[in-house]
Amino acid sequence: MPLTKELINDALSGVAHPDGGDLVSRDCVLNIALCSDDASVRICYTQGHPDQQQPDRNALSNMGKFAEQVIRAAAKAEGVESLGLIIDFVDHAGQVVLKLKSDTKTSAETPKEKQPEQAPQNTNAAGVPGVKHIIAVGAGKGGVGKSTVAINLAIGLARKGHSVGVLDGDIYGPSLPTMLGLQALDQAVIESTLQPFLVHGIKSITMGKLVDADKPLIWRGPMAHGAFTQLIERTQWGELDFLIIDLPPGTGDVPLTLAQSVQLTGAVIVCTPQKVAQDDAVRASKMFESLGVDRLGVVENMSYFIGDDGKEYDIFGKGGAQKMAQNLGLPFLGSIPINTALRRNMDDGNPTKNFEADSAGGPQLPAALEQLTDQLIAQVTLASMNKSSQAPTLSIS
Ligand code: ADP
């Protein structure tokens, strides 16, 4: 039976709206376009709330799950072999807030067709008890802002009500003690179990608090393995929704150990716009791919600079990392501008200030970080659902 607009509309009417009712009855479906087995749907969350310019934060956080429901329902309803679906979530002004693309195979024998080259993640890899999602933040190059992104994502997730931990896996050059302001605190150990620090609403652990800060950290391969594994296993994390792991830069021993010993939900790749950073980021991405780790998306850091005159200056070639993500077929999670307040807040160990316009040099940085967090949540939701069902494959841009 061919796919029709009515069938999609019916499917959407079976999808609950986060505020009650369903998408169709709440007039959220603005448009359905159809061409053969490809459909495009435009959805506005804030329909019926003229005062609400932006989609509700909870609704944004649920977008991934929500879109998945739409696709499943639509795929089931029309009974065709495959469905190419694009869902644009728009705000009140018609601006696209999030775009979801899916290429869903609806027949049972085809779902894995698209990823023949991907090795399965090590089946011996275990999760960390009590931790729902483990996310690695990696970069091909040092100094691109990997630790900065890891910490700000952690704070962003915590601000949305999630319980979050950060593990400073960059055992060669730990930055967490400075960036979280842990200098004056001592590492607590109870019966040989490390107690994470609890600052800025997140739990954290770092090699930087276990070794002498003034001595260079020189690890040989097996030592690095051991140190990293112990940091993960010996820490009493308790119940966490997300454990963010700040990896060392590059594609060396530690990321390999990590991907082989811990069941990751996925990896985030941080990159600056320049070509040289992209080349290394591509290598990092390939490493995760070859290890069978889901790549949740790319973050472009130091994307552009906003001067005191309010103008945007393109220093490194804005959009370079976004193009790289497109070329690799990876979701683009968002970009962070070069921001002196961000650098200062991180140096002062005050990352929460990045989320407050007054201390973040204006509203751009908090908005960028919020959006990044929302996109990450959406991708994590999709990755988890894909893992559990192996049904639709989705990408967000
Ligand atoms: P990496 O972990 O990749 O080595 P870091 O996160 O340690 O990089 O960042 C390196 C330096 O750059 C830090 O001083 C950090 O505060 C600064 N930095 C990172 N991102 C930005 C940004 N968007 N704007 C201004 N400074 C930044």
Side-chain angles (χ1 to χ4, degrees), residues 30-187:
L30 302 187
N31 188 40
I32 299 174
L34 202 55
C35 176
S36 179
D37 282 351
D38 288 319
S40 145
V41 181
R42 218 169 154 79
I43 291 171
C44 179
Y45 266 115
T46 53
Q47 201 67 2
H49 297 278
D51 303 336
Q52 199 183 332
Q53 292 301 313
Q54 290 292 322
D56 170 66
R57 292 221 176 290
N58 290 333
L60 269 174
S61 303
N62 280 327
M63 273 185 179
K65 200 177 227 165
F66 171 59
E68 180 80 23
Q69 274 177 284
V70 174
I71 290 155
R72 274 175 199 283
K76 249 192 237 155
E78 44 75 37
V80 292
E81 291 281 303
S82 71
L83 175 71
L85 183 59
I86 294 179
I87 305 178
D88 283 333
F89 294 93
V90 299
D91 65 15
H92 222 72
Q95 289 277 87
V96 177
V97 188
L98 186 71
K99 185 188 273 293
L100 286 151
K101 293 181 200 157
S102 96
D103 187 5
T104 308
K105 300 286 178 197
T106 53
S107 60
E109 61 278 10
T110 47
K112 278 183 153 180
E113 237 172 40
K114 290 207 107 186
Q115 306 154 343
E117 74 284 9
Q118 198 173 60
Q121 196 174 355
N122 187 349
T123 43
N124 293 326
V128 175
V131 178
K132 283 193 200 140
H133 297 293
I134 307 179
I135 297 167
V137 179
K141 251 195 174 7
V144 297
K146 174 183 50 58
S147 303
T148 305
V149 169
I151 291 174
N152 282 286
L153 280 175
I155 304 272
L157 289 166
R159 287 171 66 93
K160 290 180 188 296
H162 299 290
S163 48
V164 185
V166 185
L167 183 141
D168 193 354
D170 193 347
I171 56 174
Y172 299 99
S175 356
L176 225 87
T178 301
M179 291 184 169
L180 290 179
L182 305 176
Q183 293 93 337
L185 305 175
D186 288 327
Q187 175 66 61

Side-chain angles (χ1 to χ4, degrees), residues 141-148 175 179 301-302 336-339 342-343 346-347:
K141 251 195 174 7
V144 297
K146 174 183 50 58
S147 303
T148 305
S175 356
M179 291 184 169
N301 188 30
M302 308 192 198
I336 303 177
I338 299 172
N339 181 307
L342 169 73
R343 202 268 311 139
M346 300 313 286
D347 276 358

